[in-house]
Amino acid sequence: MAKETKNTLRDSVYSSLKAMIVTGQIPPGSRVTENDIAVKLNVSRTPVREAFNRLERDGLVTGRPRQGYVVTEFDINMFREAFEIRELLDGHATELAAATATEQDKARLRAMLAECERLAAIPDRTTREKFQELEVGIDLHRVIAEISGNVMLHGMLCGILDKCQHYVWTELLWLDEWKIARDEHAEIVDAICAGDASRAGTLARAHVRGSRDNVLRLLQAKSDYQNFLAKAS
Amino acid sequence: MAKETKNTLRDSVYSSLKAMIVTGQIPPGSRVTENDIAVKLNVSRTPVREAFNRLERDGLVTGRPRQGYVVTEFDINMFREAFEIRELLDGHATELAAATATEQDKARLRAMLAECERLAAIPDRTTREKFQELEVGIDLHRVIAEISGNVMLHGMLCGILDKCQHYVWTELLWLDEWKIARDEHAEIVDAICAGDASRAGTLARAHVRGSRDNVLRLLQAKSDYQNFLAKAS
DNA sequence: ACACTCAAAATTGTATACAAAATAGCATGC
DNA sequence: GCATGCTATTTTGTATACAATTTTGAGTGT
């Protein structure tokens, strides 16, 4: 049956499908039919269709009339676009969060930071644990957006972060060199806790740019590696 | 049948419903049942359901399981949130547009400006013509976002602009004092045509702030008027 | 061997039937 | 007369049946 059982089948199917897509279980570019999913999750096509509709709205799948759905393949351009927007939104959200965070909010952020540290310190990490660290790192930004108090901003940032997460997980997680900018996260949380909105915003924007450059560097490395393999064969 | 006939019924229903909601034909806060719409548009419930799903994702209706859908009532807070984000996104999009606009793009913007002028100059305007002027004014921002070249940014801005349009049309259009900031639009287009990204961005951000203040002022006037009526009765 | 045509299979789009849940109204009891 | 509980209606959630369209493949003709 479904992975997570919520109130309605539609929501449950949506969650399952989204998880399968974001984590790369269903690889980008692969064609997915309603029937496959319906059979796999043991439900009828109706809730599956509605889940697909929402996923299409999220930009995680693209579907053309009577031709089925394809898991979105993000190219480097979409990635650049997403990070360009993230710099604006994340920066602003972090400023707002620094200005309005309560003690409870601050404790929550520090706890996430600690969890990140804990996961990073595990000696021989499984892939699952590496996933988790990445996920907490991204969740930190979601929580900051939530603390900002701007509900719309929070929603939009969550949508973008989903896509970034999808991209990183499906394209780059095979690289062991991946590193989370733990220091930068810590600095941002510090600035928020100190209530220094201006500094928090500046740090957040720099962090987004840094993450972007880091990913672009890894993509280059990946491309080089693939070229090397192609030449060698 | 449906208002606009596109490829699929779902799309057609979506367009019709969205138009009815954004223009206030279906007033905010009113409950809408799938069956009503299905009967009204002479289609089955299935495409109506899918249209509602998309509208819910757009934030134009909110639906809870087995309780039907309600046209979203925007309060002043949502309005502030939307304009806060618009200032960021619109500003950035305008900067990008100024940096990359082709001659064709510039001609398109100038044509929209001219259309705005034409509609504004009509002596005794019908409500429909007032609608149109407002719509072209908002469309100008959509086109600028499109010209920016950042597809994701364009999509997000369109979503926000839909909501702003909805809010203004349903809450404020009854006021005759409404004025479009034609001069500001012209200045922005000028800056884009001159390729002055920095100035275009600054103007755009100021324009969003100005529009926000203008709407807030009108809201205050509306509130005062309603209080006056309440006291008088 | 290649290309073209037609048909069959697969897949989505739409409609309808049925089930479950929530709301509203009515009746009954206090 | 009011409150409470039950039933009936309304409405969404899900499943399935049917229609339309696209794709694929086989078969035939050149």
Side-chain angles (χ1 to χ4, degrees):
Chain A
M1 192 68 83
K3 215 171 163 185
E4 305 173 24
T5 306
K6 285 174 77 175
N7 277 342
T8 67
L9 273 183
R10 168 185 50 194
D11 292 331
S12 149
V13 171
Y14 172 73
S15 300
S16 302
L17 256 179
K18 185 169 170 181
M20 286 194 278
I21 290 171
V22 170
T23 62
Q25 266 183 272
I26 307 176
S30 61
R31 206 171 120 84
V32 188
T33 72
E34 295 176 358
N35 224 339
D36 290 348
I37 303 298
V39 170
K40 188 179 287 187
L41 297 180
N42 206 32
V43 298
S44 86
R45 271 179 52 219
T46 310
V48 175
R49 278 183 70 77
E50 302 190 3
F52 267 119
N53 268 310
R54 290 171 63 171
L55 287 169
E56 188 174 16
R57 210 91 192 127
D58 290 342
L60 291 177
V61 303
T62 60
R64 281 179 310 192
R66 291 176 205 280
Q67 284 180 239
Y69 294 90
V70 175
V71 178
T72 304
E73 286 186 281
F74 287 97
D75 56 16
I76 200 166
N77 258 331
M78 290 194 197
F79 175 80
R80 280 181 201 276
E81 288 188 1
F83 268 68
E84 207 172 315
I85 300 172
R86 262 197 69 189
E87 187 177 338
L88 294 170
L89 299 188
D90 236 326
H92 188 63
T94 308
E95 279 179 10
L96 288 176
T100 66
T102 66
E103 283 308 315
Q104 200 179 355
D105 294 330
K106 294 173 186 174
R108 192 170 165 206
L109 292 177
R110 279 190 283 251
M112 296 183 79
L113 225 49
E115 172 69 2
C116 237
E117 291 287 345
R118 190 187 67 78
L119 287 165
I122 294 174
D124 286 307
R125 294 195 292 171
T126 62
T127 307
R128 177 73 204 133
E129 285 161 344
K130 243 165 55 176
F131 271 149
Q132 280 183 344
E133 190 200 345
L134 188 55
E135 191 159 12
V136 174
I138 296 180
D139 265 342
L140 186 77
H141 290 284
R142 291 196 181 91
V143 171
I144 289 174
E146 190 184 345
I147 292 174
S148 81
N150 188 322
V151 178
M152 202 177 283
L153 183 58
H154 177 229
M156 294 175 86
L157 257 171
C158 282
I160 294 186
L161 289 170
D162 277 344
K163 289 179 199 167
C164 293
Q165 191 169 348
H166 175 218
Y167 189 71
V168 170
W169 277 16
T170 55
E171 295 292 326
L172 291 176
L173 206 80
W174 61 282
L175 281 170
D176 264 347
E177 319 162 29
W178 178 263
K179 73 156 186 45
I180 305 285
R182 275 187 296 277
D183 299 341
E184 291 175 21
H185 281 171
E187 280 187 306
I188 291 171
V189 171
D190 277 348
I192 292 175
C193 290
D196 190 340
S198 164
R199 181 160 145 259
T202 305
L203 286 170
R205 278 180 274 266
H207 168 62
V208 171
R209 281 195 300 272
S211 298
R212 181 200 58 193
D213 292 339
N214 188 31
V215 170
L216 289 177
R217 194 176 50 75
L218 291 177
L219 280 174
Q220 188 61 47
K222 179 180 176 182
S223 163
D224 288 348
Y225 180 63
Q226 285 172 344
N227 280 341
F228 169 75
L229 284 185
K231 256 188 254 172
S233 68
Chain B
M1 192 70 81
K3 213 171 164 187
E4 306 173 22
T5 305
K6 287 177 76 176
N7 278 340
T8 67
L9 272 184
R10 168 185 48 194
D11 292 331
S12 148
V13 171
Y14 172 72
S15 300
S16 302
L17 256 179
K18 186 170 171 181
M20 286 194 277
I21 290 172
V22 170
T23 61
Q25 266 183 272
I26 307 176
S30 61
R31 207 172 122 84
V32 187
T33 71
E34 295 176 358
N35 224 340
D36 289 348
I37 304 298
V39 170
K40 186 178 288 186
L41 296 180
N42 207 31
V43 296
S44 85
R45 271 179 51 218
T46 310
V48 175
R49 278 182 70 76
E50 303 190 3
F52 267 120
N53 268 310
R54 290 171 65 171
L55 287 169
E56 185 174 18
R57 210 88 191 132
D58 290 343
L60 291 176
V61 304
T62 60
R64 282 180 309 190
R66 292 177 202 282
Q67 284 182 238
Y69 294 90
V70 175
V71 179
T72 305
E73 287 186 280
F74 287 97
D75 56 16
I76 198 166
N77 258 331
M78 290 194 195
F79 175 80
R80 281 181 200 275
E81 287 188 0
F83 268 69
E84 207 172 317
I85 300 171
R86 262 197 70 189
E87 186 178 337
L88 294 170
L89 298 188
D90 236 325
H92 188 62
T94 308
E95 280 178 9
L96 289 175
T100 65
T102 66
E103 282 309 315
Q104 199 178 356
D105 294 330
K106 294 173 186 174
R108 192 169 166 206
L109 292 177
R110 278 191 282 254
M112 295 183 79
L113 225 49
E115 172 70 2
C116 237
E117 290 288 344
R118 190 186 68 76
L119 287 165
I122 294 173
D124 284 308
R125 293 196 292 171
T126 62
T127 308
R128 178 72 204 136
E129 285 160 344
K130 243 166 51 176
F131 272 150
Q132 279 182 346
E133 189 200 346
L134 187 56
E135 192 158 11
V136 174
I138 296 181
D139 265 341
L140 186 77
H141 289 284
R142 290 196 180 90
V143 171
I144 289 174
E146 190 184 345
I147 292 173
S148 81
N150 188 320
V151 178
M152 201 177 284
L153 182 59
H154 176 229
M156 294 175 86
L157 257 172
C158 282
I160 295 185
L161 289 171
D162 278 344
K163 290 179 201 170
C164 293
Q165 191 170 347
H166 175 218
Y167 189 72
V168 170
W169 277 17
T170 56
E171 295 291 326
L172 290 176
L173 206 81
W174 63 283
L175 281 171
D176 264 347
E177 319 162 27
W178 178 263
K179 73 159 185 47
I180 305 286
R182 275 186 295 278
D183 300 342
E184 291 175 21
H185 280 171
E187 280 186 306
I188 292 171
V189 171
D190 277 348
I192 291 175
C193 290
D196 189 341
S198 164
R199 180 160 146 260
T202 304
L203 285 171
R205 277 179 277 265
H207 168 61
V208 172
R209 280 195 301 271
S211 298
R212 182 200 57 192
D213 292 339
N214 188 31
V215 170
L216 289 177
R217 193 176 51 76
L218 290 177
L219 279 175
Q220 187 63 47
K222 178 180 176 183
S223 163
D224 288 347
Y225 181 62
Q226 284 172 344
N227 281 340
F228 169 75
L229 285 185
K231 254 187 253 170
S233 67

